Amino acid sequence: MKRKHAIKVSLCIVALIIVAAAVIISFGGDIGVYDVFKKEPEEKTFIRWVNFTPDAELINKAIKYDIDTYCSDVHLNFVELLAYTASKCGGQFTARSSKDMDEFAERLASGEKVSDMTQGMKSYDYYLEAYDAVLCGFVGEYQSEVIDKATGEKYWESGYGLTVFSPIAKGFNYGHYKDFGNERTYGYKRKHEGNDLMGSVGTPIIAIESGIVEEMGWNRFGGWRIGIRSFDNRRYYYYAHMRKDHPYVRSLKEGDIVTAGDVIGYMGLTGYSNTENTNNLQRPHLHLGLQLIFEEIQKEGRNQIWIDVYSIVEVLKANKSAVVKDEESGEYRRVYGFKPEGIQP
């Protein structure tokens, strides 16, 4: 009996080995026996942390290279320029960083390839993916309305340059400083995950980038707030502390598509209260936050990635949306139409 049982066990083992071998052969021999029986799925890899630190001067330099070489034999991509420069300094930008960018641009213009120049730079791919998530679509082709000075009539004109706008409308003053990461204590102790733009109640707030209105309504921290997701789903813009009684453009609702440069609401000082429509802040300002999303799990909880937008706000001073007020409704609207090319839901 024992011998028969041993034979049965041996036959079972042989059968399992044959099955495993067959599976290995069917996969071209690229997996091992252990892999056949392994049940745990491989962990998905994606970026979990980004520290966006280039200053406005360096970003503007990269953008200028991009715009100046548009339609030339070698068109320089501003995100690649920034990613290379960040990789050279490990994200700790110095006065030398500007020269690094110039040298990179000169070598590219002379015919060298990005792939050859970045070979062996272990952090380049990381910075390219991270910075592309921050800045994708910020520069590109567009159509915008302009006024014919002779006739006063509007017409559409094609261009290439910034396709994103300052969050504050043209003609309205504001001030801001580097307050990202500062301590906040309302509710609980935490880090400030945005940049505060100080201004006046009623200042028109502008959609920086085209996208979809994902959230609107009251939040005890941010008061009346709007959340807009970019069409590529990688950026979530958070505009908070909107005006009491009339926080948003009245026609705006969740699910709407907004175009970069559109008026979306008005600056106020709501928030820091469980009671809706309450002014509990000391000074009117816009809290502007930018969240990066590489995977949906990063949208909520402890997985969130918020970056410092101070430099971005500085860069966007060069592109402000002109607005006009409808005295009857009290609403502001943009003066000139704008159509970023190739950017759609």
Side-chain angles (χ1 to χ4, degrees):
M1 279 297 286
K2 290 182 178 179
R3 185 180 179 186
K4 287 183 180 180
H5 178 72
I7 291 172
K8 287 181 179 180
V9 171
S10 298
L11 289 174
C12 289
I13 293 172
V14 171
L16 284 171
I17 292 172
I18 292 171
V19 170
V23 173
I24 292 169
I25 292 170
S26 69
F27 280 91
D30 290 333
I31 59 175
V33 173
Y34 170 75
D35 295 309
V36 174
F37 299 102
K38 188 172 65 173
K39 294 181 180 180
E40 298 84 358
E42 291 187 8
E43 185 179 354
K44 201 168 185 179
T45 59
F46 53 87
I47 290 177
R48 291 173 168 80
W49 179 81
V50 175
N51 186 23
F52 187 72
T53 56
D55 62 25
E57 185 177 357
L58 196 65
I59 299 172
N60 279 327
K61 169 174 269 197
I63 290 173
K64 188 175 188 305
Y65 268 125
D66 192 316
I67 295 172
D68 288 349
T69 59
Y70 176 64
C71 289
S72 67
D73 292 337
V74 180
H75 181 199
L76 303 178
N77 181 288
F78 83 105
V79 177
E80 291 179 348
L81 293 171
L82 286 167
Y84 175 87
T85 308
S87 187
K88 286 283 286 185
C89 67
Q92 302 298 315
F93 297 97
T94 65
R96 171 68 202 177
S97 299
S98 182
K99 293 181 180 179
D100 287 337
M101 181 179 290
D102 289 336
E103 291 172 3
F104 183 53
E106 288 171 8
R107 292 175 65 183
L108 289 175
S110 68
E112 292 190 57
K113 303 296 183 184
V114 173
S115 56
D116 293 335
M117 294 178 62
T118 57
Q119 190 172 9
M121 297 179 74
K122 295 181 179 180
S123 60
Y124 175 75
D125 288 341
Y126 161 77
Y127 281 113
L128 182 63
E129 184 178 356
Y131 284 15
D132 191 59
V134 178
L135 301 167
C136 180
F138 274 40
V139 174
E141 295 179 338
Y142 60 82
Q143 292 185 18
S144 63
E145 280 187 316
V146 295
I147 291 182
D148 187 316
K149 293 181 180 179
T151 64
E153 295 181 355
K154 291 181 182 178
Y155 66 95
W156 287 92
E157 184 175 77
S158 296
Y160 183 87
L162 283 174
T163 60
V164 283
F165 288 78
S166 169
I168 304 297
K170 187 176 183 178
F172 291 83
N173 295 322
Y174 73 92
H176 72 139
Y177 59 99
K178 296 182 179 181
D179 58 344
F180 183 83
N182 288 357
E183 187 177 280
R184 294 291 186 268
T185 57
Y186 175 78
Y188 61 95
K189 187 180 290 188
R190 63 196 187 282
K191 298 295 184 182
H192 189 225
E193 296 178 326
N195 187 208
D196 287 342
L197 282 64
M198 319 306 291
S200 303
V201 171
T203 294
I205 304 304
I206 303 297
I208 292 174
E209 181 180 356
S210 300
I212 300 172
V213 178
E214 191 169 283
E215 290 182 304
M216 293 176 70
W218 183 262
N219 175 290
R220 72 186 181 108
F221 298 102
W224 294 121
R225 88 285 193 240
I226 303 178
I228 298 177
R229 182 92 73 112
S230 63
F231 292 141
D232 66 4
N233 294 319
R234 292 189 291 174
R235 287 168 301 288
Y236 176 79
Y237 295 90
Y238 180 74
Y239 308 81
H241 306 311
M242 313 294 266
R243 182 173 62 182
K244 182 179 179 180
D245 298 326
H246 187 181
Y248 320 120
V249 171
R250 291 191 176 95
S251 60
L252 199 64
K253 61 184 183 302
E254 288 185 11
D256 282 354
I257 291 175
V258 295
T259 301
D262 283 352
V263 180
I264 56 174
Y266 307 99
M267 185 182 292
L269 37 79
T270 60
Y272 283 20
S273 175
N274 289 317
T275 304
E276 284 193 4
N277 207 34
T278 300
N279 281 336
N280 252 3
L281 276 67
Q282 299 301 311
R283 295 179 60 191
H285 68 272
L286 168 69
H287 169 96
L288 176 65
L290 176 54
Q291 182 187 15
L292 301 184
I293 304 166
F294 297 92
E295 287 291 328
E296 276 299 307
I297 191 175
Q298 296 174 311
K299 186 70 172 64
E300 304 292 344
R302 297 181 179 180
N303 301 292
Q304 297 177 33
I305 301 175
W306 294 89
I307 66 163
D308 188 346
V309 295
Y310 178 85
S311 294
I312 291 174
V313 172
E314 286 293 290
V315 169
L316 297 183
K317 284 181 177 180
N319 201 31
K320 293 185 176 181
S321 184
V323 298
V324 63
K325 186 176 183 180
D326 183 318
E327 295 300 336
E328 186 174 335
S329 66
E331 298 279 18
Y332 281 89
R333 58 177 174 79
R334 70 185 310 156
V335 176
Y336 304 108
F338 184 77
K339 301 175 184 177
E341 296 292 334
I343 301 176
Q344 55 188 3

